[in-house]
């Protein structure tokens, strides 16, 4: 994901994030709350999410794509407070496990506005989804259609099913987050879709309602979307020609953001393409974005533990177990000192490293940053998506606390995990006693 060219400066990074401001005395603010106050209260590492930012981004996307419905991809950030914001803002949910479904229900998202996606839904999950009244199941294989039929029979429900097709389109994103090429594990090859749809229509308890696709994540250009949606259009027309009903099209998620210098396509342009390609088909349309809605609304706060080699290496107290993206995908995240005076000092190239015993536990290499003294603090930007949800307990590091700001207010929405809680479910077997 790292591109060539120069890294943006601290000043440029802040200017590019409407939710952030560097205040001369209070330092870096998220919405109207000094992040230093949250770091003082909760310690570091700590996540902070901006409710106002999430609200505004959801409203923007819904307005831009209307009448297309927005189903928030819960996997990007599944905190109950985030899901409540989605419910209040009129989003449905795209869920991929019973756990995500239960979270979305607990936060107040109506089951009718949920889509259950995923490559390996179990029979138990399918039954749970049907029993809960989930509005749509996106099926990813012919075999899954049979499992859905069996689950429908067992629960006495009718399953409204969309077939997730694999359009064989390269999304032009990182290999590990491309999902729509032939040979990727996702979806039904688009050439097989008509046969599977026909079979599904003949099964009791299964009502095929339409088609779905999702070609990848952090997609920054319109071209792959256009190619995939053209396939969706062609298939819809072919299915109708064959006398089958296609009432819904799920156009996927994947909308990219600017982490470093990516020229991410504007939602307005994508919405225009969607209207142009699918608009005359008289179908209900939906999208399932995750990252775009929440990534820029979150930061990970960290403290500098110490400097090595005259500040060429800055070791912080956040690690790959907290934010896995840099280690996992080579992802670039902006780093901004919380202190305005420190932020303004001349920058030189520094490595920012976490404390975990892995050479991939690096947040930045040769990053132009001002000197970062021990105990000073930084915010790692755009951490609201695929951040806390991907944390692990590696190196017995507990889950970090989470705060939510809303304008000038803030509160803790998850406490730091107590150390003992990490091993609370573990037992030492009797045969090891003595
Ligand atoms: N729908 C389906 C079926 C998906 O698999 C995904 C993401 C989405 C929607 C939402 O995609 P988004 O709008 O957030 O791009 N951990 C990776 C991203 C993995 C995405 C997995 N699927 C990362 O940190 O970049």
């Amino acid at each position: 994901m790292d591109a060539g060219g120069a890294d943006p400066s601290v000043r440029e990074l802040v200017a590019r994030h409407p939710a952030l401001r560097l205040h001369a005395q209070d330092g870096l603010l998220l919405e109207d709350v000094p992040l230093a106050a949250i770091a003082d209260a909760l310690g570091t590492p700590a996540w902070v999410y901006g409710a106002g930012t999430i609200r505004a981004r959801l409203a923007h996307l819904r307005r831009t794509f209307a009448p297309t419905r927005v189903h928030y991809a819960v996997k990007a950030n599944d905190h109950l407070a985030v899901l409540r914001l989605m419910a209040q803002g009129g989003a449905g949910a795209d869920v991929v496990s019973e756990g995500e479904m239960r979270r979305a229900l607990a936060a107040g998202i109506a089951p009718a506005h949920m889509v259950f996606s995923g490559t390996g839904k179990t029979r138990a999950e399918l039954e749970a989804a049907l029993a809960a009244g989930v509005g749509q199941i996106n099926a990813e294989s012919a075999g899954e259609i049979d499992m859905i039929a069996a689950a429908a029979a067992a629960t006495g429900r009718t399953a409204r099913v969309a077939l997730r097709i694999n359009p064989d389109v390269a999304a032009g994103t990182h290999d590990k987050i491309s999902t729509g090429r032939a040979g990727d594990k996702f979806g039904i090859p688009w050439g097989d879709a008509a046969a599977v749809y026909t079979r599904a229509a003949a099964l009791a308890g299964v009502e095929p309602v339409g088609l779905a696709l999702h070609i990848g994540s952090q997609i920054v250009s319109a071209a792959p979307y256009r190619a995939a949606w053209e396939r969706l259009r062609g298939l819809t027309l072919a299915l109708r020609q064959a006398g089958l009903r296609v009432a819904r099209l799920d156009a996927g998620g994947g909308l990219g953001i600017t982490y470093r210098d990516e020229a991410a396509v504007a939602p307005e342009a994508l919405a225009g393409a969607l209207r142009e390609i699918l608009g005359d088909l008289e179908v209900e349309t939906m999208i399932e974005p995750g990252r775009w809605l929440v990534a820029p609304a979150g930061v990970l706060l960290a403290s500098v533990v110490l400097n090595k080699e005259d500040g060429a290496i800055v070791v912080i107290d956040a690690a790959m177990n907290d934010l896995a993206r840099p280690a996992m995908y080579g992802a670039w995240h902006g780093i901004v000192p919380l202190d305005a005076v420190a932020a303004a000092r001349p920058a030189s190239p520094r490595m920012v490293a976490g404390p975990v015993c892995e050479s991939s536990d690096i947040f930045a290499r040769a990053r132009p940053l001002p000197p970062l003294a021990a105990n000073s603090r930084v915010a790692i930007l755009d951490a609201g998506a695929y951040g806390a949800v991907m944390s692990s307990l590696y190196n017995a590091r507990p889950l970090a606390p989470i705060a939510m700001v809303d304008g000038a207010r803030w509160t803790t929405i998850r406490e730091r995990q107590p150390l003992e809680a990490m091993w609370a479910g573990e037992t030492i077997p009797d045969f090891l006693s003595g």
Side-chain angles (χ1 to χ4, degrees), residues 73 75 164 177 214 217 253-254 288-291 325 329 386 390:
K75 62 168 73 73
R164 175 172 176 182
I177 52 176
H214 172 76
S217 194
E288 45 189 52
R291 183 190 319 266
R325 302 192 71 255
Y329 317 109
Y386 306 111
M390 290 174 67

